[in-house]
Amino acid sequence: LSVAVALCLLSPHVQATYYLLIAAALFALYLTFGEPSTEHLQPRLIRLGVTLVAVIVGFGIGAPQILPFLEYIPHSPRAAGYSVGYAGSTSYGIPWDHVPEFFLGGFTGAPEAYWGSNPLKHHSEYLGLPVVALAILGFGDRRRRLVWWLGGIGVLFLLIALGGATPFYHLWWAVMPMVKKTRAPGMVFFVVAFCVSMFAALGVSRLERGEGEGGAQPRVARIWLIAAGVVALLGAIGVFGQMAVSLAPSERVGAAIRHGSAIRMSAIIGALFLAAVAVLVWGRLRGRVPAFAFAIGLPLLVGLDLWRDGRGFWTYSAPPSRGLYQDDAVITRLKAAPLPMRVLDVGVYPQNVLMAHGIPQVLGYQGNELRYYDDLLGGRNDWRYLLSSTRLWPLLAVRFVLIPDSTALPGYHLVQGPVTTAAGSRAFLYEADTIPPYARVIPAAVKVPNDSVIPPTLADPRLPGYDRVVLLPSNAPINPPTLQGLPAPSLSKARVTAWDAGKMTVELDPAPRDSSYVMIAENWYLDWRASVDGHPGMVLRGDNSLLTIPVAPGARKIELSYHSRTYTRGKVMAFVTLLIVLAGFAVPLVATRRRGPAAPGERGSAGG
């Protein structure tokens, strides 16, 4: 159990693990208290406690992932909750227009033909008519307490998956820890699907036991046949297609209309699979289908039904060397440029293609980005300060710009284009007329009482430059001298002489004559460490997001390294808890060997 929990945490998807552990905890309570038992309460509580310890140990093994993540949260865009509050947290829940898809495969359309109310859809919520039919049968299982516990877990997580579609999520969002920092509650539907699968398994068990043979069960098969006929008829006359049109948002009604024929065909095919399962079950209960044929036929029919719906969401990619990530003329040109530098890609390559080649980007997708950087650029996915002008580009050391069409960029000249990239897009590559500095010496600093004014101030074209004053947040641990006026740029120049992942060396020439600040076009984070001429230095967050190191007069060399203390602590915890797990395997084995084999009269003495 500890290893399973650790692997879930290290996968990593903390939100999915959060839901999984809640569902598992509810089932653990069922195992402890859910069924009548003559066993004393104490041993049951001990088992429950051992289970809790196993989960805690699993968190210990996952500590290298968890501790740095917890440390990062205050610096994330979701530090105070999801950016748009309750509406953001409920985004990508399952809307009501998706609910028919539980029973009708492809109701809301595959990715290229989606008409529902979510912004996009790359998954299916189809449970399958045969599975639902078996699950309804399983709900009548004689283990009533198990049925009600499973049903309760399924209903709870269905309400969570529906998100803002029901009032329930207001309570969940207000009460449950960390939920305010999440979105996409629809992902929890995997628990609902699991509970439905469990009920379907109970239904198959009832069929295997032959409950009601010659009576109730054959009637169930006939009911399934009738239901299949009704579904096929409604699908054929277009009822489900009209339902889609009525549920579609106004801007996507056309897509729903075009998808009507696919909905009709899917309903008919689903009904045929349900009818085939009904015939198979009827034949088995009548003794006309051998057990082996039933054992092969049932999962085959169910599997084919699920496969025909799910295959539209499976994506097969070419090997990186022959697909999106292969070299092309632009990549080759950028790789030849000496580091450090940055490339601003505005709509040429998708997401992080350049980073896959080791080329630093200004933009791209990073699930754990810093809110300071987002704010500096003008807001996540908006980037209004970055894209409205070239003002911020020198601050970020933007040497190259990639755009899909040619245009005039002040301070940049065309070096390549038009070029067709490996992604199949057209590219024009521009290079800065003067290579922007990756590090600069700034003679003065100002603490800004309201941090929110820093990004718009830096983007303001009236600001004389970035080499005269660095803006520090209000919580900076220093108090720079009050400025009497705007100082002249420093005569000292900073040069990056070594640059690698987590390591940088910056040399100052000539050495500054006064106390100054060296700002580097690299994102600040609390795990950066600095030394100035061999002595420990201070690392500040300057100009909202960038590494800034105060230096004394005469400073010549700065060395920076990235070292996460929480990650180191997490590794120590992981090794210790992993030893506990190994001991859990080894100690009982050793103890059993020392006791030796049990005597004949002792074996099974507890009563079978």
Side-chain angles (χ1 to χ4, degrees):
L1 178 59
S2 297
V3 172
V5 170
L7 290 175
C8 289
L9 293 168
L10 295 169
S11 50
H13 204 299
V14 176
Q15 187 176 346
T17 305
Y18 182 90
Y19 296 135
L20 175 63
L21 289 175
I22 292 172
L26 292 173
F27 196 74
L29 292 175
Y30 160 74
L31 294 175
T32 306
F33 306 111
E35 296 286 354
S37 175
T38 58
E39 186 181 30
H40 292 298
L41 181 61
Q42 182 178 359
R44 285 185 281 160
L45 291 177
I46 290 174
R47 284 198 299 272
L48 189 63
V50 171
T51 301
L52 177 60
V53 170
V55 172
I56 293 171
V57 171
F59 271 79
I61 300 174
Q65 182 85 5
I66 297 169
L67 294 185
F69 178 72
L70 294 176
E71 187 180 50
Y72 153 77
I73 288 176
H75 309 283
S76 77
R78 304 186 189 186
Y82 198 73
S83 57
V84 286
Y86 181 79
S89 290
T90 55
S91 62
Y92 291 102
I94 296 178
W96 285 115
D97 53 38
H98 281 213
V99 171
E101 187 161 306
F102 297 175
F103 318 99
L104 298 172
F107 179 74
T108 54
E112 70 278 0
Y114 176 61
W115 57 260
S117 53
N118 275 338
L120 53 85
K121 186 171 186 286
H122 294 291
H123 67 283
S124 170
E125 288 129 353
Y126 181 57
L127 297 171
L129 284 177
V131 173
V132 171
L134 290 168
I136 293 172
L137 179 62
F139 195 78
D141 191 90
R142 59 194 178 195
R143 290 166 286 184
R144 300 312 299 162
R145 289 176 181 264
L146 173 61
V147 165
W148 287 113
W149 275 82
L150 275 177
I153 293 172
V155 169
L156 169 65
F157 283 94
L158 176 60
L159 290 172
I160 298 170
L162 290 171
T166 73
F168 172 81
Y169 203 81
H170 282 282
L171 175 64
W172 181 264
W173 187 77
V175 171
M176 295 301 292
M178 306 297 286
V179 169
K180 287 185 174 66
K181 302 182 187 301
T182 67
R183 66 169 183 170
M187 73 171 67
V188 78
F189 193 71
F190 77 91
V191 179
V192 180
F194 177 77
C195 291
V196 172
S197 301
M198 289 295 296
F199 279 120
L202 294 176
V204 174
S205 294
R206 293 189 69 191
L207 294 175
E208 289 176 333
R209 292 193 298 267
E211 292 182 8
E213 190 167 350
Q217 297 301 342
R219 282 202 302 273
V220 166
R222 287 194 292 271
I223 291 172
W224 290 356
L225 280 172
I226 294 171
V230 171
V231 171
L233 176 62
L234 294 177
I237 64 177
V239 171
F240 299 129
Q242 287 301 314
M243 183 189 302
V245 173
S246 66
L247 291 172
S250 57
E251 68 276 10
R252 292 181 174 176
V253 169
I257 294 173
R258 291 190 296 272
H259 191 59
S261 59
I263 294 175
R264 179 183 295 109
M265 183 58 64
S266 178
I268 293 172
I269 294 174
L272 289 175
F273 274 108
L274 177 59
V277 169
V279 170
L280 184 68
V281 167
W282 181 86
R284 175 58 188 159
L285 294 174
R286 290 295 189 184
R288 298 179 183 179
V289 175
F292 180 78
F294 182 74
I296 295 295
L298 184 61
L300 183 63
L301 289 171
V302 170
L304 284 173
D305 182 47
L306 296 174
W307 171 81
R308 59 104 186 177
D309 176 74
R311 64 190 176 93
F313 298 92
W314 300 344
T315 301
Y316 299 93
S317 302
S321 59
R322 299 203 305 269
L324 176 63
Y325 296 96
Q326 64 182 310
D327 282 348
D328 56 35
V330 174
I331 297 294
T332 302
R333 175 66 179 83
L334 292 175
K335 281 184 174 179
L339 298 175
M341 59 87 181
R342 274 204 182 96
V343 179
L344 174 58
D345 180 358
V346 187
V348 173
Y349 291 96
Q351 300 295 349
N352 300 339
V353 170
L354 296 180
M355 285 297 296
H357 292 276
I359 301 169
Q361 298 180 228
V362 177
L363 298 175
Y365 178 77
Q366 168 53 260
N368 295 330
E369 74 259 37
L370 296 171
R371 58 187 171 93
Y372 315 115
Y373 188 66
D374 287 355
D375 294 342
L376 174 63
L377 304 189
R380 185 181 182 186
N381 298 327
D382 187 5
W383 320 128
R384 58 188 179 277
Y385 301 142
L386 175 70
L387 301 179
S388 61
S389 71
T390 62
R391 173 68 186 170
L392 282 179
W393 297 4
L395 180 66
L396 301 172
V398 176
R399 180 174 175 179
F400 295 97
V401 179
L402 270 170
I403 54 177
D405 295 299
S406 62
T407 188
L409 293 178
Y412 288 79
H413 60 276
L414 180 68
V415 295
Q416 204 173 33
V419 176
T420 301
T421 69
S425 56
R426 189 172 69 157
F428 290 84
L429 179 64
Y430 290 79
E431 184 176 8
D433 298 337
T434 302
I435 298 177
Y438 208 79
R440 62 189 77 210
V441 181
I442 303 174
V446 173
K447 289 181 72 171
V448 179
N450 185 355
D451 301 356
S452 63
V453 305
I454 296 179
T457 299
L458 294 170
D460 194 323
R462 293 172 296 179
L463 193 71
Y466 300 116
D467 56 355
R468 303 173 80 172
V469 177
V470 57
L471 304 182
L472 301 178
S474 56
N475 61 352
I478 65 169
N479 291 304
T482 303
L483 284 181
Q484 302 302 320
L486 196 63
S490 175
L491 297 176
S492 178
K493 302 299 179 184
R495 184 168 60 95
V496 179
T497 57
W499 188 86
D500 202 353
K503 290 183 179 181
M504 284 183 281
T505 301
V506 180
E507 295 184 359
L508 310 182
D509 184 29
R513 298 174 57 183
D514 301 305
S515 296
S516 303
Y517 303 84
V518 176
M519 188 170 68
I520 303 169
E522 191 79 42
N523 270 319
W524 168 92
Y525 193 59
L526 45 82
D527 291 320
W528 280 104
R529 305 287 181 265
S531 68
V532 181
D533 293 332
H535 302 287
M538 185 180 295
V539 181
L540 305 177
R541 178 167 59 87
D543 282 1
N544 209 70
S545 187
L546 304 182
L547 283 172
T548 303
I549 299 93
V551 295
R556 294 253 177 211
K557 185 176 182 181
I558 300 172
E559 293 179 297
L560 289 114
S561 62
Y562 187 90
H563 175 71
S564 172
R565 294 176 181 172
T566 53
Y567 176 65
T568 301
R569 286 197 295 268
K571 286 197 296 184
V572 172
M573 291 177 61
F575 283 123
V576 171
T577 48
L578 196 55
L579 288 175
I580 294 174
V581 171
L582 293 175
F585 286 110
V587 171
L589 182 62
V590 172
T592 301
R593 287 184 176 179
R594 286 186 176 179
R595 284 198 303 267
E602 296 174 343
R603 188 176 291 116
S605 59

